[in-house]
Amino acid sequence: MELTDIKAVYFVGAGGIGMSAIARYFLHRGVVVAGYDKTPSALTEQLEKEGMLIHYDEDIEKVPHACRNKDATLVVYTPAIPADHKELAHFREKGFTVEKRAQVLGILTRAHKGLCVAGTHGKTTTSAMCAHIMHQSHVDCNAFLGGITKNYASNYILSKESDYVVIEADEFDRSFHWLRPLMSVITSTDPDHLDIYGTKEAYLESFAHYTELIKPGGALILHTGLEMRQRVQEGVTVYTYSRDEGDFHAENIVIENGEITFDFVSPVERVDGVRLGQPVPVNIDNGIAAMAMAQLCGCTAEELKYGMRTYRGVDRRFDFKLKTDRIVFLSDYAHHPKEIRQSAMSIRELYKDKRITVIFQPHLYSRTRDFYKDFAESLSLLDEVVLCDIYPAREEPIPGVTSQLIYDNLAPGVKKTMLHKEDVPGYVSDHDFEVLVVLGAGDIDNYVPQIEKILQEKYK
């Protein structure tokens, strides 16, 4: 379906955060938006207030009449819904267009000017930065992001006027192959999701195919040094970027007193005196990519500087919870060895003379099996490592694959501990810290509020 064909949208699994952003987009367009979810939540209640029709029983009779025309109704489902779900099965049997979230984002990039950010790591922060820069500029944009931005307390930004849409392009399950970007940044291509791709070569080929999808007249902005070889259509301009080199890069970087400033070097226009609102060294790289795409869309030098200065970050991405002379505590989503290495190096650069302790929960048995030596090498950049059990997510256990594999390969001299996640608060209570970092994409973040409270009481 094309966007102009859609008069009603029905969501099977309406309450997910990614689904809710798309629901709000279609509500704004004035089409009928309805759906099913298993249980009410604060999010579904808010969606109902905004005009979405939601019910909580598997009942075809409760599907609104406006959503029963197969030629004008788009059905969107989440993979968490079982294939034998009564409503989902009904829509499929009757010949409705039934698509996953990634496919719907593809529809949006065909209808709008898609600005997409892909990569193994860095894509959430880079896309959120770009969206914020553009939304507060005269250019403006819509955005569908992979995390909750602190500037907007949402993963969705709405524009009434702009034809640009910023989208985080996810390589998991080849989802980004549904997109048709006008421009795209690729931040990194370190092999991941080998349970899906099988080999490093297949993973890199997936990115190469993605670059073929960029529309003529658009642009590809590649981080320097990537192993993949892009294949772009005629009429697509290819740029490079990084912290230190490329068509877009930084000069005169100053990191001191908890602040980071630099000059943005660009083939379009040099911008001096950029200050990071979230002053973490890795955000120099992310910020250059975000500014490059925003500048190519027409944002002015002052708009770039204001956007970077006022960007407040994304939940669980270098998310500082406490920052005093006595204790620094932050949470980060890093769950790939290269992400952890970047996090470790950034934290070390900010806090050169402090002892840094990391609490890490590995994510997926297959990822741990494939990269346990790399995890150990990255974690060994820090002074003390506390390892929790593997978070399984969608996987069943793999015999012989535990956090012990990482533990046994940590560098000599690194203080190390193995803990069940339930014992983490007690460990924090009983030990002293200078800089404490919680890393992982699983449920370890659920303990962050408790850890924060313990540290507040301990360090006043």
Side-chain angles (χ1 to χ4, degrees):
M1 296 180 86
E2 297 302 324
L3 198 58
T4 51
D5 301 329
I6 300 168
K7 307 304 180 193
V9 186
Y10 190 86
F11 290 82
V12 186
I17 193 158
M19 299 282 269
S20 67
I22 296 175
R24 284 176 164 138
Y25 169 84
F26 281 107
L27 281 168
H28 171 69
R29 286 188 65 85
V31 304
V32 175
V33 180
Y36 156 89
D37 207 84
K38 190 173 183 180
T39 53
S41 66
L43 188 52
T44 58
E45 288 175 15
Q46 184 58 40
L47 288 169
E48 289 187 78
K49 289 178 183 176
E50 293 173 25
M52 187 172 180
L53 307 170
I54 306 177
H55 62 267
Y56 303 93
D57 306 301
E58 283 187 53
D59 189 348
I60 296 159
E61 293 304 315
K62 291 189 176 180
V63 175
H65 285 284
C67 298
R68 297 189 184 189
N69 179 350
K70 71 181 181 66
D71 296 320
T73 301
L74 172 66
V75 178
V76 188
Y77 73 100
T78 171
I81 296 292
D84 61 354
H85 186 279
K86 291 177 184 176
E87 295 183 11
L88 187 59
H90 167 80
F91 286 121
R92 283 179 167 148
E93 287 169 8
K94 297 298 182 183
F96 281 73
T97 299
V98 179
E99 299 194 336
K100 294 187 290 187
R101 177 177 182 270
Q103 293 169 289
V104 179
L105 293 177
I107 292 174
L108 300 189
T109 57
R110 291 200 301 272
H112 297 297
K113 296 175 180 177
L115 308 177
C116 303
V117 181
T120 315
H121 43 82
K123 56 183 175 286
T124 298
T125 297
T126 303
S127 56
M129 276 183 167
C130 182
H132 175 62
I133 293 168
M134 293 190 62
H135 187 59
Q136 55 76 44
S137 78
H138 78 282
V139 181
D140 204 355
C141 70
N142 301 276
F144 297 87
L145 306 170
I148 302 298
T149 65
K150 294 191 172 184
N151 290 86
Y152 306 100
S154 176
N155 63 330
Y156 173 55
I157 297 173
L158 175 67
S159 168
K160 295 181 179 178
E161 305 295 338
S162 180
D163 198 32
Y164 286 106
V165 55
V166 178
I167 290 175
E168 180 175 332
D170 190 1
E171 80 277 11
F172 175 70
D173 201 23
R174 298 177 175 83
S175 292
F176 62 170
H177 289 174
W178 294 104
L179 303 176
R180 298 297 181 268
L182 174 66
M183 296 186 196
S184 183
V185 166
I186 298 183
T187 63
S188 48
T189 55
D190 303 303
D192 196 10
H193 304 301
L194 296 186
D195 55 325
I196 301 293
Y197 287 99
T199 66
K200 171 183 174 180
E201 290 71 26
Y203 186 78
L204 295 176
E205 169 58 26
S206 186
F207 276 90
H209 174 64
Y210 169 71
T211 65
E212 294 179 305
L213 305 176
I214 299 171
K215 297 174 182 177
L220 172 62
I221 306 165
L222 283 174
H223 197 285
T224 58
L226 300 187
E227 283 192 67
M228 58 150 292
R229 293 292 175 263
Q230 71 273 10
R231 297 194 299 265
V232 297
Q233 299 184 58
E234 187 176 348
V236 174
T237 305
V238 179
Y239 299 95
T240 58
Y241 83 95
S242 76
R243 172 171 166 159
D244 301 311
E245 61 180 353
D247 298 309
F248 300 91
H249 65 272
E251 288 183 354
N252 304 319
I253 299 169
V254 178
I255 302 175
E256 61 183 13
N257 300 322
E259 297 291 336
I260 298 178
T261 59
F262 60 88
D263 298 336
F264 175 61
V265 179
S266 156
V268 180
E269 179 188 5
R270 182 187 178 101
V271 182
D272 291 338
V274 176
R275 181 163 66 87
L276 289 181
Q278 193 191 33
V280 182
V282 71
N283 278 348
I284 300 172
D285 248 325
N286 296 332
I288 289 165
M291 285 191 291
M293 193 146 62
Q295 189 182 56
L296 290 172
C297 292
C299 292
T300 67
E302 285 306 310
E303 288 170 342
L304 295 176
K305 291 172 70 172
Y306 180 78
M308 293 298 289
R309 185 172 69 248
T310 56
Y311 173 75
R312 293 175 52 206
V314 178
D315 285 354
R316 297 187 72 181
R317 269 69 173 188
F318 273 97
D319 195 351
F320 284 90
K321 301 298 183 181
L322 296 171
K323 192 191 288 189
T324 73
D325 292 337
R326 299 187 66 191
I327 182 68
V328 174
F329 173 47
L330 66 149
S331 169
D332 192 56
Y333 190 72
H335 57 286
H336 183 278
K338 287 290 179 69
E339 286 179 321
I340 293 170
R341 180 177 179 82
Q342 281 192 334
S343 293
M345 291 174 69
S346 284
I347 295 163
R348 181 66 76 192
E349 196 169 359
L350 281 174
Y351 302 104
K352 295 181 177 67
D353 303 319
K354 291 186 179 288
R355 178 170 51 87
I356 303 170
T357 303
V358 58
I359 299 171
F360 176 56
Q361 180 191 46
H363 186 267
L364 296 179
Y365 294 103
S366 60
R367 186 181 282 128
T368 305
R369 175 199 62 203
D370 295 336
F371 301 117
Y372 66 89
K373 289 184 179 178
D374 299 315
F375 277 121
E377 184 180 346
S378 296
L379 291 166
S380 293
L381 293 170
L382 303 176
D383 302 299
E384 181 178 359
V385 177
V386 179
L387 281 169
C388 298
D389 299 326
I390 296 169
Y391 182 75
R394 57 187 179 270
E395 294 184 336
E396 294 298 321
I398 298 173
V401 178
T402 70
S403 296
Q404 190 76 37
L405 290 172
I406 301 172
Y407 183 92
D408 291 342
N409 283 274
L410 290 166
V414 174
K415 184 179 178 182
K416 55 187 183 179
T417 307
M418 291 269 286
L419 282 182
H420 297 302
K421 63 186 179 184
E422 296 84 1
D423 298 326
V424 165
Y427 183 88
V428 172
S429 293
D430 296 340
H431 292 77
D432 290 321
F433 307 96
E434 292 182 344
V435 179
L436 178 62
V437 189
V438 169
L439 290 182
D443 60 358
I444 191 68
D445 193 65
N446 294 343
Y447 292 89
V448 166
Q450 190 176 353
I451 294 170
E452 181 181 355
K453 185 176 180 182
I454 292 167
L455 294 174
Q456 281 178 331
E457 293 174 355
K458 182 186 289 191
Y459 296 99
K460 308 301 180 190

